[in-house]
Amino acid sequence: MTGPAPPFNPNVPSIARTYDYLLGDKDNYPVDREIGEIFIQRFPGAVQIAVDNRRSLVRAVDFMARDLGVTQFLDLGSGLPTADNVHQVAQGANPAARVVYVDNDPIVLAHGRALQSEQIIAAKETNTLIDFGRPVGIIASAILHHIVDAEDPLGIIRAFRDAVPAGSYLFISHFRTLGDPDSAALEEVMFQAFGRGAWRTDAQIAQYFEGVKLLTPGIVPCAQWRPEQEPGELSAFQRLVVAGLGRK
Ligand SMILES: C[S@@+](CC[C@H](N)C(=O)[O-])C[C@H]1O[C@@H](n2cnc3c(N)ncnc32)[C@H](O)[C@@H]1O
């Protein structure tokens, strides 16, 4: 949100553009497609994982805006524009809904850098749209596994949780490690591609929700998070990405 834009290099793969490729969108470069294809070859479920994740986010935003009365959202690691953007989903349920998008990808946002909670909460851009006296829907969808422990992802989420009033919501989706070869191999592919990444155990993912009450169905694979139709038996890949929604 503040500080100079990080340099854009079309020869270095980007998390945002590779995810965009996996979702079937067009804001990506050959280097991102190359990495996307490596994911798909080594993990035939890669596209499904991206789609499951995105769909659970769309359902969560619709649920918050339509049923839980949330009118303002802070979307951390928002990614590139895609089919159902958070503001479109939220405004589809309530035209008055407002969304602040935060990302550090130079193409997503020309003025993004690291995920610095204090700066984001204090930024003029944030406060123009978000009233921290009223409930906020905090979204951290598929971003926290790109933030390593040394960058204190728990502290980042805690700062956002502390900045919002009771009645606010926290939606998180996250890659999980099951301590098996599949999850370890996928983590390694992502680490090789982007030079960072941190899969976390279910217990570690649950820690983000400390101080908030998890709503039904708890933290479950994205495909099983309040699905419109029961997804049936999940593939091993689909179990690698989970989502949860909590109420402060
Ligand atoms: C896999 S995409 C998820 C996009 C969207 N939230 C979704 O779930 O559909 C992860 C996004 O997090 C962003 N990101 C990763 N690390 C970040 C950081 N430290 N600060 C801000 N954004 C970050 C990436 O640029 C990318 O757009």
Side-chain angles (χ1 to χ4, degrees), residues 15-16 19 53-54 57 77-79 103-105 113 115 141-143:
I15 294 167
Y19 179 69
N53 174 74
R54 187 75 208 178
L57 166 63
S78 50
D103 206 289
N104 71 346
D105 187 280
R113 273 213 310 201
L115 191 61
S141 173
I143 175 177

Side-chain angles (χ1 to χ4, degrees), residues 14-20 23 50 53-58 75-80 82 84 86 102-106 108 112-116 120 139-147 151 156 171 173 175 190 196:
S14 135
I15 294 167
R17 296 192 314 255
T18 302
Y19 179 69
D20 177 85
L23 286 179
N53 174 74
R54 187 75 208 178
R55 286 189 183 152
S56 72
L57 166 63
V58 167
D75 185 5
L76 309 171
S78 50
L80 288 154
T82 181
D84 286 315
V86 168
V102 178
D103 206 289
N104 71 346
D105 187 280
V108 178
R113 273 213 310 201
L115 191 61
Q116 293 160 330
I120 291 166
I139 298 167
S141 173
I143 175 177
L144 295 168
H145 49 242
H146 298 299
I147 297 183
E151 294 166 322
I156 290 170
F171 176 78
S173 68
F175 270 118
M190 186 163 289
R196 55 167 50 241

Side-chain angles (χ1 to χ4, degrees), residues 17 40 210:
R17 296 192 314 255
I40 292 167
E210 263 167 20

Side-chain angles (χ1 to χ4, degrees), residues 127-219:
N127 286 273
T128 304
L129 286 173
I130 303 262
D131 171 1
F132 283 98
R134 292 193 300 114
V136 180
I138 304 166
I139 298 167
S141 173
I143 175 177
L144 295 168
H145 49 242
H146 298 299
I147 297 183
V148 297
D149 290 349
E151 294 166 322
D152 191 17
L154 276 178
I156 290 170
I157 292 301
R158 191 179 312 118
F160 284 110
R161 256 181 6 225
D162 288 351
V164 297
S168 294
Y169 291 88
L170 172 64
F171 176 78
I172 290 177
S173 68
H174 203 297
F175 270 118
R176 78 205 286 213
T177 177
L178 297 171
D180 66 328
D182 270 353
S183 42
L186 184 53
E187 181 176 7
E188 182 57 23
V189 171
M190 186 163 289
F191 195 86
Q192 294 293 333
F194 303 119
R196 55 167 50 241
W199 271 211
R200 297 193 168 92
T201 63
D202 288 1
Q204 288 171 318
I205 295 169
Q207 281 185 301
Y208 293 116
F209 293 98
E210 263 167 20
V212 302
K213 187 176 178 305
L214 269 171
L215 273 59
T216 308
I219 304 170

Side-chain angles (χ1 to χ4, degrees), residues 223-234:
Q224 291 172 337
W225 194 85
R226 301 182 65 88
E228 276 136 22
Q229 293 177 332
E230 276 310 315
E233 188 160 348
L234 302 190

